[in-house]
């Protein structure tokens, strides 16, 4: 069994680039280094390969405002890097629990230190996936048939399909996911961020106050110095306790909370994909019905044409003349057929 852990995250300065953060993945006894962009491409690829599976989310990129304000600090901020390292490690472990993903060539190549990841992204089975996932086999996009390329592409905005009993279940799941995402994002998550920020500011103030009292104690003598030193120690202890509380909230509450919101968004995307496939099925069924009706009309027209041609041939064989009035020829043929049927009924068999 595989044991996966991201054991390190640090800056790499390969070539003449400004540097980037690389994450060292320990997979059993082997080590492989991957960038955040490679984790992102892994997830995007798995979403295409398995469009009906819930592929776990990865931590979000930095906001543009942080890059604009302080690009170097935003990239190298220790807390952000540690957060990414933990959540990317969770991402890989969650993928390991999905049988189809764990056994896939793409996932195994990502964990292979000898694999050239850019080359993997441009090789089968990834290169075999159609550009539009709606024109692929939803259960195995890499092995889609030519027939899938003829599937109609429904509008991404207009979804009007007669709701089935199964659709109701998925619609309820979508509604619950939206409600959950709204409640967490707009309520609990905002309150939690305010609390964490407040506690972080407090820990900074305790640290500065402790440093100040300790500095004063060095300038005084006797009892006052001892008292100032103890007060400084109290503030230092408060700083350490508050910092521990902030870290605990981040690790055990904020990160799982943020991940759950991302999962709700992933579920919505899958349900949207199902809705588009349901609309595609409805369009295909309607088109096939229309084509079938049109084919039946053509077949009837062809049979009528053959019957008329036979009547014309029969008439021309008797009179050595062709009656170009097809309607009259058809009437004559019908009358002749009725007359023959009447003669047959009037003849009595010999006893």
């Amino acid at each position: 069994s595989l044991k996966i852990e991201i054991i390190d995250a640090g800056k790499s300065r390969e070539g003449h680039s400004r540097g980037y953060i690389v994450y060292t993945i320990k997979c059993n006894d082997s080590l492989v280094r991957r960038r955040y962009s490679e984790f992102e491409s892994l997830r995007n690829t798995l979403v295409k390969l398995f469009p009906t599976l819930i592929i776990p989310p990865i931590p979000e990129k930095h906001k543009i405002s942080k890059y604009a304000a302080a690009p170097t600090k935003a990239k190298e901020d220790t807390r952000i890097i540690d957060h990414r390292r933990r959540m990317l490690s969770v991402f890989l472990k969650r993928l390991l629990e999905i049988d189809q993903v764990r056994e896939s060539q793409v996932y195994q190549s990502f964990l292979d230190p000898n694999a050239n990841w850019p080359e993997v992204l441009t090789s089968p089975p990834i290169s075999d996936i159609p550009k539009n996932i709606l024109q692929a086999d939803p259960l195995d996009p890499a092995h889609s048939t030519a027939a899938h390329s003829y599937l109609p592409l429904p509008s991404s905005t207009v979804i009007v399909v007669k709701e089935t009993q199964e659709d109701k279940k998925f619609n309820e799941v979508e509604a619950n996911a939206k409600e959950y995402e709204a409640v967490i994002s707009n309520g609990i998550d905002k309150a939690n961020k305010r609390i964490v920020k407040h506690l972080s500011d407090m820990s900074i103030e305790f640290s500065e106050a402790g440093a100040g009292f300790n500095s004063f104690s060095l300038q005084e003598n006797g009892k006052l110095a001892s008292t100032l030193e103890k007060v400084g120690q109290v503030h230092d202890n408060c700083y350490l306790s508050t910092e521990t509380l902030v870290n605990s909230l981040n690790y055990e509450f904020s990160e799982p909370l943020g991940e759950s919101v991302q999962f709700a968004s992933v579920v919505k995307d899958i349900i949207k994909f199902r809705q588009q496939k349901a609309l595609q099925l409805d369009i295909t069924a309607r088109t096939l019905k229309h084509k079938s009706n049109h084919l039946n009309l053509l077949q009837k027209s062809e049979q009528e044409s053959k019957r008329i041609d036979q009547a014309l041939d029969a008439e021309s064989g008797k009179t050595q003349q062709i009656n170009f009035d097809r309607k009259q020829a058809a009437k004559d043929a019908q009358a002749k057929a009725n007359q023959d049927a009447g003669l047959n009924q009037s003849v009595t068999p010999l006893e």
Side-chain angles (χ1 to χ4, degrees):
S1 61
L2 291 175
K3 292 183 179 180
I4 299 176
E5 189 74 35
I6 297 181
I7 59 175
D8 185 44
K11 193 164 187 179
S12 174
R13 294 185 180 276
E14 296 180 3
H16 299 285
S17 64
R18 295 178 59 187
Y20 50 85
I21 305 301
V22 293
Y23 301 87
T24 304
I25 308 167
K26 184 177 181 181
C27 181
N28 288 346
D29 296 328
S30 63
L31 298 177
V32 58
R33 303 174 76 197
R34 297 293 183 198
R35 300 175 60 176
Y36 174 84
S37 59
E38 292 175 322
F39 280 91
E40 189 176 32
S41 62
L42 169 64
R43 187 184 184 279
N44 292 338
T45 300
L46 292 175
V47 169
K48 293 179 181 178
L49 276 175
F50 307 103
T52 60
L53 293 182
I54 297 178
I55 303 300
I58 61 173
E60 297 176 349
K61 287 184 176 180
H62 298 310
K63 293 181 179 179
I64 297 177
S65 58
K66 289 187 177 181
Y67 282 112
T72 306
K73 185 178 178 181
K75 287 183 179 179
E76 299 182 358
D77 184 81
T78 304
R79 288 189 177 181
I80 294 176
I81 295 173
D82 286 344
H83 166 71
R84 276 191 173 184
R85 179 182 60 79
R86 288 190 300 272
M87 298 312 297
L88 289 174
S89 184
V90 170
F91 167 69
L92 292 177
K93 290 178 180 178
R94 291 195 187 280
L95 291 178
L96 195 61
E97 296 172 357
I98 305 174
D99 294 340
Q100 298 96 314
V101 174
R102 183 182 63 249
E103 297 169 2
S104 69
Q105 178 186 341
V106 174
Y107 182 66
Q108 293 173 6
S109 297
F110 187 82
L111 300 175
D112 185 357
N114 298 318
N116 185 332
W117 184 244
E119 185 178 336
V120 172
L121 293 176
T122 55
S123 304
I126 301 173
S127 60
D128 294 333
I129 302 174
K131 290 183 179 180
N132 195 314
I133 198 64
L134 290 173
Q135 292 182 318
D137 184 344
L139 299 180
D140 192 3
H143 294 88
S144 302
T145 64
H148 288 95
S149 62
Y150 292 98
L151 289 173
L153 294 176
S155 171
S156 59
T157 55
V158 181
I159 299 178
V160 182
V161 181
K162 186 177 180 181
E163 189 179 61
T164 63
Q165 195 64 32
E166 189 178 1
D167 291 334
K168 290 181 180 179
K169 296 179 181 178
F170 282 97
N171 291 339
E172 288 177 4
V173 172
E174 182 183 24
N176 291 336
K178 286 181 178 179
E179 183 180 1
Y180 179 83
E181 187 178 22
V183 170
I184 298 299
S185 300
N186 299 326
I188 299 176
D189 190 45
K190 286 186 177 180
N192 177 65
K193 286 180 179 177
R194 286 198 301 268
I195 293 171
V196 170
K197 185 179 184 306
H198 177 65
L199 291 174
S200 297
D201 292 341
M202 281 182 59
S203 69
I204 294 173
E205 291 176 2
F206 280 132
S207 176
E208 292 175 352
F213 280 113
N214 290 329
S215 177
F216 288 151
S217 69
L218 296 175
Q219 298 175 11
E220 300 294 337
N221 298 314
K223 256 186 181 183
L224 181 58
S226 177
T227 303
L228 289 173
E229 184 179 3
K230 288 180 181 179
V231 172
Q233 290 176 352
V234 169
H235 281 79
D236 288 341
N237 290 333
C238 289
Y239 159 71
L240 293 174
S241 299
T242 307
E243 192 69 11
T244 301
L245 177 59
V246 170
N247 291 334
S248 180
L249 279 173
N250 282 328
Y251 303 158
E252 300 177 15
F253 187 74
S254 299
E255 289 179 356
L257 189 70
E259 188 187 28
S260 66
V261 173
Q262 287 182 297
F263 263 113
S265 179
V266 171
V267 170
K268 287 195 307 179
D269 290 339
I270 294 178
I271 292 177
K272 182 179 179 182
F273 173 74
R274 182 189 178 277
Q275 289 173 339
Q276 288 182 315
K277 293 300 289 184
L279 180 58
Q280 189 180 61
L281 176 62
D282 184 70
I283 294 173
T284 304
R286 290 172 184 270
T287 303
L288 287 175
K289 186 177 181 180
H290 174 73
K291 296 292 184 182
S292 178
N293 292 337
H294 185 60
L295 179 61
N296 290 335
L297 289 175
L298 291 176
Q299 288 176 337
K300 288 180 180 180
S301 298
E302 184 180 11
Q303 291 174 357
E304 182 68 17
S305 177
K306 285 181 178 179
R307 192 173 66 80
I308 292 173
D309 288 339
Q310 290 173 356
L312 288 173
D313 291 341
E315 184 69 20
S316 63
K318 290 180 180 181
T319 62
Q320 300 299 320
Q321 293 182 352
I322 298 177
N323 187 352
F324 291 96
D325 189 345
R326 293 204 164 205
K327 290 185 178 180
Q328 185 60 41
K331 289 181 180 180
D332 293 343
Q334 186 64 41
K336 183 68 171 59
N338 293 338
Q339 183 180 0
D340 293 342
L343 290 174
N344 291 335
Q345 291 176 358
S346 63
V347 175
T348 57
L350 296 175
E351 295 183 0

